[in-house]
Amino acid sequence: MIEAIDLGGGVILHLVWVPGGTLAMGSPPTAESPLHLVTVSGFWLGQCPVTQAQWRAVMGDNPSYFPGERRPVEQVAWGPAQAFCEALSAQTGARFRLPSEAQWEYACRAGSTGAYPFGEDLSLLPEYAWFWDNSDGETHPVGEKLPNRWGLHDMLGNVLEWCADTWCWNYQELPIDGSPYQADHPPLRAMRGGSWAHFYTFCCASGRGYNHINAASAASHCGLRVMRESPASGGSLSPCGATTSTTATDRGHGGSPSTHSATAASKLLF
């Protein structure tokens, strides 16, 4: 089920209904462990990452390095991502926020238990995602790649997506009800999905990353996707128009390339 939210000026935000269910979250023995059973209630999630047109319709500006109304907005730091959700909530009268890590992974998998929403076949990744091998060093308009089985586009690649969670080094402390993990430390927030600047190894359903909350950390691979906490608002139905000092796998422009990734060998988390 898809809902269309009119942002004015002909700009539409499409939301997809994500049905509730249970998720075996993670991929041991990496930092995506221990395997974490989570029960997620149904929610509405943006069909695509927030575009530059949608950002401009709500915020009145465009921070992106790669211009294009249908491209995902990027160079978005944690604070502006929160501000967008608050402004969107005020504009629409519904409560929008960033998804939790559990909600993001659950929606990305769309019932798949494999490494990807489409199973285990890595050769299919270019059909679903813009990443290092096929991006030509830039973002691309949203919705051009195949969606997962729930109709969500660009869950992998194109831009990293902020989550609502404070960064946690493993899943031992994460809630089991799908809500965001909240702590006073560290000043890091979770990001998911990989981007145009990441290798294929990072663009998988369980891959985790983090970024600092300061504005300087927002590079051209940092974007967002929103979820809505409130019930359907009656809109019309419509289709979607660990730390490291190396940045060798991060080609993002602008800001500090502090989004990290993790493999078992390097103890990084994306």
Side-chain angles (χ1 to χ4, degrees):
M1 183 163 50
I2 301 172
E3 183 174 347
I5 306 297
D6 188 353
L7 300 180
V11 179
I12 304 296
L13 171 66
H14 293 102
L15 304 175
V16 171
W17 175 249
V18 177
T22 301
L23 165 69
M25 184 178 178
S27 180
T30 67
E32 303 149 15
S33 64
L35 202 63
H36 183 62
L37 197 63
V38 180
T39 299
V40 178
S41 299
F43 60 98
W44 292 90
L45 185 66
Q47 189 173 31
C48 300
V50 173
T51 67
Q52 294 174 35
Q54 291 164 347
W55 181 278
R56 193 191 309 276
V58 174
M59 304 297 284
D61 61 4
N62 183 7
S64 303
Y65 181 86
F66 300 109
E69 294 295 276
R70 290 189 56 245
R71 292 188 190 222
V73 67
E74 21 85 5
Q75 296 197 142
V76 178
W78 169 257
Q82 294 292 95
F84 177 85
C85 293
E86 293 171 4
L88 180 61
S89 298
Q91 182 171 325
T92 62
R95 180 169 171 76
F96 284 88
R97 65 168 174 82
L98 300 172
S100 69
E101 276 202 86
Q103 289 171 325
W104 190 96
E105 184 171 331
Y106 178 75
C108 179
R109 289 185 177 280
S112 172
T113 58
Y116 310 101
F118 46 85
E120 297 285 358
D121 189 353
L122 175 60
S123 70
L124 295 177
L125 185 61
E127 298 181 29
Y128 290 83
W130 294 109
F131 58 106
W132 177 284
D133 291 1
N134 66 355
S135 69
D136 293 325
E138 61 183 353
T139 61
H140 292 263
V142 302
E144 291 190 339
K145 294 297 186 178
L146 291 176
N148 68 12
R149 71 184 66 185
W150 287 343
L152 296 164
H153 291 266
D154 299 290
M155 291 297 292
L156 302 179
N158 221 355
V159 288
L160 285 164
E161 299 177 9
W162 287 105
C163 289
D165 302 64
T166 304
W167 176 251
C168 186
W169 293 103
N170 57 52
Y171 285 158
Q172 289 182 330
E173 298 181 51
L174 265 61
I176 61 172
D177 62 355
S179 60
Y181 171 72
Q182 299 294 319
D184 294 333
H185 65 86
L188 307 172
R189 296 295 182 270
M191 301 194 82
R192 289 294 198 119
S195 77
W196 64 267
H198 286 91
F199 292 137
Y200 69 88
T201 49
F202 305 150
C203 296
C204 60
S206 63
R208 306 178 68 211
Y210 65 84
N211 209 343
H212 199 281
I213 61 174
N214 67 34
S217 66
S220 61
H221 58 303
C222 295
L224 75 158
R225 184 186 305 253
V226 296
M227 61 86 66
R228 191 178 66 195
E229 292 185 323
S230 55
S233 61
S236 60
L237 296 181
S238 172
C240 181
T243 58
T244 177
S245 59
T246 179
T247 58
T249 60
D250 183 347
R251 299 183 299 172
H253 300 277
S256 170
S258 57
T259 301
H260 300 292
S261 56
T263 63
S266 65
K267 299 182 181 179
L268 305 181
L269 301 178
F270 218 119

